[in-house]
Amino acid sequence: MGENGRVNLTNKHLRELPHDHFHHLGFGSESTNLKEKFGDVKFVITSGSTGRISSFAELLRDRLQVEGKLENLIKTDRFVMYKIGPVLAANHGMGVPSASILLNEILKLLHYADASDVAIFRLGTSGGLGMNPGDVVITKTAFDAMLRPFHETAICGELVQHSTEMHAELADDLLSCSSQVGYTTVQGNTMACDDFYEGQGRLDGAFCDYDEAAKLAFLKKAHTLGVKNIEMEGTILASMCNRANVKCASICVVLVNRLKGDQVNITPEEYKEYGQRPIHIVLAYIKKQMGQ
Ligand code: R2B
Ligand code: URA
């Protein structure tokens, strides 16, 4: 975290804005007392889908014994967001561009709210490398689809790179909390791709100009670099949180072992149950931090 544990936003132009409206959250500093409403946030839980975030919010309300009805705080149809005591839970959609928008607006919200010592978690699904459906991977470093340990993005026509190492101590704490749950949890590197199909070396997309041998050579190269799972947002999560000096972690369940195939062949019941696995690890961590 930045000074006094606050979210460190170095954008000096923000200081000149009379109001800052968060376009995709549908509110901003003009309409809401952000300090009063969000100043006590300590944990931000993100996940791709609206449904999973809503179910995480219900589970957190019950397990943390937070009174009151859950209210979706977002005033657009882009995302949903709930506040459950010190936890803010919001979905980020699929892929880096969508997650970047959500994280920009949440980091600004936390900054204006003077929230301090916040940790941000992504709880998601992924394809595994040598990991089986239901296993959970806590990310050490996020790699891009070129297997580079940074996030590269075009800013004003220039390519800029930011570090994508996750917070090692938080990852260790989460791993130790995972001893309370009954499924395999490991730490490893995570590859984040801009696409589910060709970007992840699948043979079952609408297009594919490579063969099984090229796909396996790529996946095995990734595996050799310690990549244990593949998803689509780890790089932006780590790079933005590093820039803001906020702790972050990515905890993703595996839906398919990509060294064995491309299609996700689990049942809808397994999909639902596996999708809940990361929240039980993060819940154990939050309860420990709250002294519960
Ligand atoms: C995992 O699952 C989604 C694609 O199916 C994507 O958001 C991700 O990172
Ligand atoms: N999400 C991904 O991005 N890839 C997978 O293989 C599964 C879930």
Side-chain angles (χ1 to χ4, degrees):
M1 299 288 290
E3 212 181 310
N4 304 323
R6 300 235 160 77
V7 177
N8 183 24
L9 295 188
T10 52
N11 177 8
K12 61 181 188 310
H13 303 286
L14 290 179
R15 284 180 230 135
E16 287 147 26
L17 281 180
H19 306 292
D20 191 354
H21 183 72
F22 313 134
H23 180 58
H24 306 83
L25 307 187
F27 64 90
S29 56
E30 77 285 5
S31 58
T32 311
N33 184 338
L34 297 176
K35 287 189 192 181
E36 198 176 292
K37 219 162 172 188
F38 299 102
D40 64 341
V41 170
K42 296 286 175 211
F43 313 95
V44 177
I45 305 267
T46 66
S47 192
S49 81
T50 53
R52 205 176 300 127
I53 277 298
S54 303
S55 72
F56 289 170
E58 279 171 26
L59 184 104
L60 288 162
R61 181 197 52 194
D62 295 347
R63 299 293 177 83
L64 299 177
Q65 295 171 351
V66 173
E67 309 264 304
K69 202 165 116 282
L70 287 172
E71 184 196 349
N72 176 15
L73 302 172
I74 293 202
K75 308 288 179 236
T76 74
D77 58 3
R78 297 294 187 180
F79 301 110
V80 297
M81 181 167 80
Y82 302 94
K83 185 164 182 301
I84 313 101
V87 186
L88 199 59
N91 77 301
H92 56 57
M94 283 189 283
V96 161
S98 179
S100 160
I101 291 171
L102 191 265
L103 288 169
N104 261 286
E105 295 184 13
I106 288 208
L107 286 169
K108 290 199 294 176
L109 182 159
L110 296 171
H111 171 71
Y112 295 131
D114 274 347
S116 59
D117 302 316
V118 181
I120 302 188
F121 304 84
R122 164 169 145 70
L123 291 71
T125 57
S126 60
L129 291 183
M131 305 294 298
N132 293 313
D135 294 346
V136 175
V137 179
I138 300 171
T139 305
K140 290 207 253 190
T141 298
F143 287 16
D144 73 359
M146 295 296 290
L147 294 170
R148 303 176 303 177
F150 51 78
H151 177 63
E152 186 171 81
T153 190
I155 301 178
C156 293
E158 302 282 339
L159 287 177
V160 180
Q161 298 169 351
H162 295 114
S163 128
T164 48
E165 237 174 90
M166 300 277 175
H167 196 277
E169 200 184 309
L170 182 57
D172 287 347
D173 285 349
L174 288 162
L175 188 66
S176 74
C177 288
S178 75
S179 61
Q180 295 179 32
V181 299
Y183 27 84
T184 302
T185 305
V186 299
Q187 284 188 7
N189 297 326
T190 295
M191 175 166 65
C193 301
D194 286 340
D195 167 46
F196 185 81
Y197 290 101
E198 286 173 296
Q200 299 188 18
R202 280 189 153 82
L203 300 175
D204 61 350
F207 308 99
C208 183
D209 298 321
Y210 47 89
D211 59 12
E212 171 89 16
K215 159 191 154 173
L216 281 178
F218 173 59
L219 295 182
K220 284 183 179 162
K221 183 176 170 197
H223 199 207
T224 311
L225 293 172
V227 173
K228 292 204 168 22
N229 66 338
I230 307 172
E231 44 82 270
M232 297 178 61
E233 298 86 11
T235 45
I236 193 70
L237 171 76
S239 74
M240 289 187 71
C241 289
N242 286 339
R243 290 177 80 188
N245 254 313
V246 172
K247 283 191 203 179
C248 76
S250 170
I251 309 100
C252 289
V253 74
V254 166
L255 301 182
V256 52
N257 181 354
R258 291 298 318 291
L259 296 178
K260 294 197 177 150
D262 294 341
Q263 297 256 318
V264 176
N265 284 323
I266 56 177
T267 65
E269 292 75 29
E270 284 170 328
Y271 178 74
K272 200 165 170 215
E273 194 268 308
Y274 292 170
Q276 299 290 316
R277 290 187 171 191
I279 191 69
H280 292 290
I281 299 172
V282 176
L283 178 65
Y285 173 83
I286 291 176
K287 286 183 92 160
K288 195 169 147 212
Q289 297 301 307
M290 290 174 71
Q292 287 193 9

